[in-house]
Amino acid sequence: MSDVLHKLPEFLGNHLALAALFLVLLLGLIGTQLLMLLRKYKELTPAGLTLLINREGPLLIDLSAYADYEKAHVPGSRHVAMSQFDPEHKEIAKAKDVPVVLIDKDGRGATDKAAQRLVKAGFSKVYTLGGGVMGWQQAQLPVAKGKNPG
């Protein structure tokens, strides 16, 4: 181990660009993790969402494209187009003290932006589903098909 530490300054001097790239990537990773810890909403795994559904009966909002929602969605979720998403909508607004879980097709869409809007509107329990419906399916959990319930 001490041999590695003695050769490290020489390596860094000979590979300055590589060392700088490593430092930038490390700082980016640390910054991303800090932002995730400090945001006021949490990301759930499919297992975590299952527990939340069983314990607290959250409001599930699917922000996927409607065609994707009809193909597959988490059972009990309601489709809301991102363009129509409004935290002050009467059905959403009455859930301020209930957990609200935002879902999209693959976990890379608009759920973060929608979660930020809910937090700003005063919602206290806001979650996103990591991996979206695709992550839910990969966890081999059941999906529903078709239109909004009710």
Side-chain angles (χ1 to χ4, degrees):
M1 180 69 177
S2 65
D3 189 40
V4 171
L5 292 176
H6 288 308
K7 291 182 180 181
L8 185 61
E10 180 184 346
F11 176 83
L12 293 176
N14 292 335
H15 301 89
L16 197 55
L18 187 61
L21 178 62
F22 174 75
L23 185 60
V24 167
L25 290 173
L26 181 63
L27 291 175
L29 181 63
I30 291 170
T32 302
Q33 292 300 312
L34 282 175
L35 286 175
M36 287 179 65
L37 288 172
L38 296 176
R39 68 184 183 193
K40 297 192 187 303
Y41 61 94
K42 302 291 180 209
E43 183 177 289
L44 295 172
T45 62
L49 177 54
T50 301
L51 282 173
L52 189 67
I53 290 170
N54 290 333
R55 291 181 179 169
E56 298 187 50
L59 172 63
L60 305 175
I61 300 174
D62 193 317
L63 300 170
S64 303
Y66 193 71
D68 292 329
Y69 176 84
E70 283 189 320
K71 289 178 189 171
H73 56 270
V74 175
S77 65
R78 298 198 52 86
H79 180 263
V80 176
M82 188 56 194
S83 61
Q84 304 292 313
F85 180 77
D86 180 11
E88 301 303 322
H89 186 275
K90 63 181 179 180
E91 286 193 32
I92 297 174
K94 66 183 175 185
K96 275 197 174 177
D97 297 320
V98 173
V100 178
V101 181
L102 300 165
I103 305 165
D104 64 6
K105 179 181 177 183
D106 57 11
R108 291 186 256 170
T111 56
D112 287 334
K113 184 180 275 190
Q116 291 169 358
R117 288 177 64 189
L118 286 175
V119 168
K120 190 174 182 179
F123 286 73
S124 57
K125 300 175 185 173
V126 180
Y127 303 91
T128 60
L129 176 60
V133 175
M134 291 175 72
W136 182 264
Q137 289 176 303
Q138 287 173 350
Q140 299 180 343
L141 293 165
V143 294
K145 298 176 191 290
K147 301 178 191 257
N148 270 335

